Amino acid sequence: MNLIHNLSKAELAEVCLSFGQPKYRSDQLWQWLYVKKASDWESMKNLPSDLRDKLIDKFSLQSAVTDKIDGNEDETRKVLAKLPDGECVEEVLLVDGDRKTVCVSCQAGCKFKCAFCASGQAGFTRNLEAGEMIGQFLLAEELFNDRINNLVFMGMGEPFDNYDNVMKAARIINNEDGINLGARRITISTCGIVPGIKKMSEEGLQFELSVSLHAPVDELRSRLLPVNKQYPLRELIPVCGDYAEKTGRIITFEYTLIKGVNDSPALAEKLVKLLRPIHCHVNLIPLSPVAEFDGVPPDKETGPMFVELLTDSGTNATLRNSRGSAIKAACGQLRYAEREE
Ligand code: SAH
């Protein structure tokens, strides 16, 4: 059955029109879906019952439900969200004061097999529909019992391998007559799919772009992210530069620190040189250990030292805590653990 959350505002208007309904009915329905965030058709009291019956007949309102939760309310929570076909994906809920962030998945599994990421280890099952990503967002608001003010596409999967559905979900969540989450509060993270970065630079959108870099030299990056063989740094970096120039936005580069692998001062220096031409920020995150990868997080003093080397040379950088490693919050870990059981 079709998910009602798959429809853009214009598509919803067309559906209502095809049911012989005036335009304002689709506006009312949009309000129920994205302002009042109704979870059942019966509550949509101002819609005529014959319209509701037609909608019930054609569309499902349930795009994602909770299968399992790890963690508790004050900290990072990891949710295994069950989709209509029974497939499960992970989402992570993070609270930092007033900042409430949800990290959603865009695919069940992943094709890209980054060395330290559990998502790819379990293989790829399927793309998620836009409504299933919106469903994860709405589920997070339900669990927080509050509004979410940040959305990151950093769960399972590669957003630019499911480009149209991810952009559609982001646009619906951004729509000002509905959820109205600001574009700058929506981050799309890629392992470095060059055509996707180019395409996004042409969208005329204010969404944030994050690029998972993890190494400043090809040989090492190809070992950690096999996608680098397809889109090596000599192609990736100029496209990131073009993106920043064209959109006027700052790109964030993600750099997961792994002890003895990519955390040396020499590599910090190479990173500075590589990124010098680009208006960017580097997010450094200690590795969250995963069973399938034998790397470990850096020593305690390495992270701050690495940040200092970057900032002293004029590269903006921040060291983040890898919150939630106790609850297996790294990409793909919970779903992977489920399968092992
Ligand atoms: N495919 C997209 C988004 C999903 S991964 C991408 O690659 O950006 C989100 C981020 O988590 C990426 O930067 C990824 O490299 C990082 N990540 C995955 N597993 C991790 C782990 N075990 N420890 C730390 N970061 C990890």
Side-chain angles (χ1 to χ4, degrees):
M1 181 142 29
N2 288 329
L3 299 177
I4 193 83
H5 294 120
N6 273 341
L7 303 183
S8 67
K9 201 154 182 263
E11 289 165 343
L12 197 67
E14 268 171 44
V15 165
C16 288
L17 200 68
S18 75
F19 290 160
Q21 296 288 331
K23 162 91 175 58
Y24 74 90
R25 289 288 182 215
S26 78
D27 293 338
Q28 285 176 326
L29 180 53
W30 189 262
Q31 283 241 332
W32 280 113
L33 296 174
Y34 298 115
V35 179
K36 296 172 193 146
K37 295 161 189 166
S39 53
D40 61 278
W41 299 106
E42 288 66 37
S43 61
M44 303 184 187
K45 295 271 187 249
N46 61 355
L47 297 184
S49 61
D50 64 322
L51 171 59
R52 265 189 282 162
D53 289 346
K54 283 182 185 155
L55 289 167
I56 291 168
D57 196 44
K58 277 233 153 131
F59 294 99
S60 164
L61 192 55
Q62 199 104 105
S63 311
V65 295
T66 308
D67 187 68
K68 186 179 172 187
I69 304 187
D70 273 3
N72 66 42
E73 278 180 35
D74 306 321
E75 47 182 66
T76 308
R77 268 185 292 173
K78 183 145 177 165
V79 179
L80 201 58
K82 197 186 222 166
L83 306 175
D85 66 350
E87 192 60 49
C88 285
V89 293
E90 298 173 9
E91 56 177 313
V92 179
L93 281 55
L94 301 125
V95 191
D96 187 1
D98 289 339
R99 198 180 158 92
K100 296 198 165 66
T101 303
V102 61
C103 170
V104 300
S105 293
C106 65
Q107 297 179 317
C110 187
K111 296 176 194 164
F112 292 87
K113 299 197 175 300
C114 300
F116 50 82
C117 177
S119 293
Q121 315 289 342
F124 174 77
T125 309
R126 69 170 176 87
N127 278 333
L128 263 56
E129 295 173 11
E132 293 174 318
M133 295 175 240
I134 296 164
Q136 290 173 64
F137 182 91
L138 295 171
L139 185 62
E141 288 203 332
E142 219 177 283
L143 293 169
F144 271 132
N145 198 18
D146 201 353
R147 293 199 60 176
I148 301 281
N149 44 30
N150 277 288
L151 165 64
V152 297
F153 287 88
M154 287 192 181
M156 298 167 64
E158 167 52 43
F160 289 166
D161 190 41
N162 187 16
Y163 188 95
D164 292 341
N165 289 345
V166 167
M167 286 299 165
K168 190 173 194 186
R171 282 178 196 270
I172 290 174
I173 290 169
N174 175 231
N175 183 288
E176 58 183 17
D177 300 323
I179 296 173
N180 194 21
L181 182 68
R184 293 179 180 202
R185 294 172 171 274
I186 299 176
T187 300
I188 294 169
S189 180
T190 178
C191 60
I193 311 282
V194 164
I197 299 172
K198 279 190 189 153
K199 203 167 169 191
M200 191 169 152
S201 74
E202 285 152 12
E203 296 272 356
L205 295 166
Q206 296 289 311
F207 299 141
E208 298 289 335
L209 176 66
S210 239
V211 175
S212 298
L213 193 60
H214 307 315
V217 290
D218 276 319
E219 189 274 324
L220 177 59
R221 190 164 190 272
S222 294
R223 260 196 290 141
L224 297 174
L225 286 78
V227 70
N228 190 67
K229 291 178 201 144
Q230 199 179 347
Y231 302 114
L233 292 168
R234 67 175 174 281
E235 288 181 33
L236 175 63
I237 297 302
V239 162
C240 291
D242 290 349
Y243 179 95
E245 221 163 272
K246 196 163 182 175
T247 61
R249 314 284 307 140
I250 295 179
I251 290 193
T252 300
F253 289 100
E254 304 292 337
Y255 197 104
T256 295
L257 290 164
I258 310 162
K259 183 176 176 173
V261 173
N262 66 354
D263 64 346
S264 69
L267 287 174
E269 213 171 288
K270 288 212 159 100
L271 187 59
V272 167
K273 283 211 181 100
L274 184 73
L275 300 183
R276 187 155 283 149
I278 303 180
H279 196 203
C280 68
H281 189 94
V282 179
N283 253 343
L284 297 156
I285 309 144
L287 177 77
S288 172
V290 292
E292 311 74 33
F293 177 65
D294 64 5
V296 291
D299 294 332
K300 231 168 97 198
E301 55 284 358
T302 307
M305 176 213 70
F306 206 91
V307 168
E308 209 175 299
L309 286 172
L310 296 187
T311 47
D312 283 357
S313 312
T315 303
N316 293 316
T318 320
L319 179 66
R320 315 261 177 211
N321 302 325
S322 57
R323 283 191 293 162
S325 60
I327 57 156
K328 301 181 184 169
C331 193
Q333 276 181 283
L334 186 68
R335 179 168 176 270
Y336 196 64
E338 283 285 285
R339 289 196 172 186
E340 301 281 285
E341 277 163 16

